[in-house]
Amino acid sequence: MPEITGVLLAAGASSRFGANKLLHEIDGQPLIAHSAAALAPCDRRIAVVRADDKAMQACLQTLGIEWVSNPQPDRGMGHSIACAVKASADSHGWCLLPADMPYVSAATTQQLVAALHAGAVLAAPFYQQQRGHPVAFSARFHEALAGLDGDSGARAILQAQHDQLVVIHSDDAGVLHDVDTAGDLRTC
C-alpha cells in the first residue's frame, strides 16, 4: 500500500492557553501524545514544531514521533504544512491534524486513510454537517501543499476542489474539538 503520512501541526505559540498546551498532561500523557495517537493509522507521523521548542522536540523523541522544524512559525499554519510535505515528498498522501485536537479518534483517521487508498484525492470527516480534522490529501496536491504560506492552512485548496472532497460522515465529535484555552479541556 502507498505510504500515507500523518502530519501534526505543532508550531503554534499557545498564546491563549498561557503555557505550551501541547505539553499539558491529559490522563498522564502530554496533549500532543493524544493527537499523535489519532494519526496512528498513518504509515508515518511527522510533527512540525518551532525550531526553538526544545521541550516539544524532546517530548516527540520520547514518543517516537518524527519531527521537522518550522524556521518561520510566524508565517502561519500554511508554512508548517509546507514544511511537513517537503520533508515527506515521497508520500502518497497526507492527513493533516492541528496538534491541539487530542480528542480525534484513530478510527476516524483510519476511514480517511482507507478513502485515500480507495482513490480519493481529498477526504474529511464531518460531524453534524460540519467539516472537521484531520483532512486527507492525495499526492496530487503535493505541489499545492508544499507551496502553502499564511494562516489559512489548506483551506483554499479545499474550497477550490470541494467537488473532489469525499465526505466521511462521523459520530466522532473530537473532529471539531480543538484546545485553545484550559477551559477547552474535557473533564471526565
Side-chain angles (χ1 to χ4, degrees):
M1 288 258 166
E3 180 181 87
I4 305 299
T5 299
V7 176
L8 282 168
L9 301 166
S14 298
S15 57
R16 289 179 278 179
F17 196 83
N20 190 336
K21 64 185 170 185
L22 301 180
L23 296 176
H24 180 84
E25 286 200 5
I26 300 173
D27 298 329
Q29 291 191 356
L31 185 150
I32 195 166
H34 296 274
S35 302
L39 294 177
C42 298
D43 302 297
R44 178 180 181 188
R45 293 178 290 176
I46 296 177
V48 183
V49 301
R50 298 172 89 76
D52 61 351
D53 193 345
K54 302 303 181 197
M56 179 59 61
Q57 294 164 12
C59 176
L60 291 165
Q61 185 170 358
T62 299
L63 294 171
I65 306 293
E66 183 181 349
W67 59 270
V68 297
S69 66
N70 179 344
Q72 297 175 298
D74 294 337
R75 288 176 60 182
M77 188 182 298
H79 192 257
S80 286
I81 293 168
C83 289
V85 170
K86 289 174 186 174
S88 58
D90 57 342
S91 292
H92 289 88
W94 297 269
C95 287
L96 308 179
L97 180 65
D100 64 355
M101 298 189 74
Y103 304 115
V104 174
S105 165
T108 299
T109 304
Q110 181 59 51
Q111 290 178 293
L112 297 172
V113 169
L116 288 177
H117 286 314
V121 295
L122 286 171
F126 278 70
Y127 176 77
Q128 296 184 348
Q129 301 169 346
Q130 288 185 292
R131 184 185 59 78
H133 287 92
V135 178
F137 295 83
S138 75
R140 171 179 156 190
F141 293 102
H142 174 268
E143 188 174 323
L145 292 168
L148 288 173
D149 206 359
D151 282 328
S152 64
R155 190 174 297 128
I157 297 170
L158 285 167
Q159 290 170 342
Q161 302 294 325
H162 71 278
D163 58 326
Q164 300 292 312
L165 181 66
V166 171
V167 173
I168 306 293
H169 296 286
S170 177
D171 60 0
D172 180 3
V175 303
L176 301 179
H177 191 121
D178 64 334
V179 175
D180 290 326
T181 67
D184 295 329
L185 294 167
R186 287 186 182 167
T187 57
C188 298

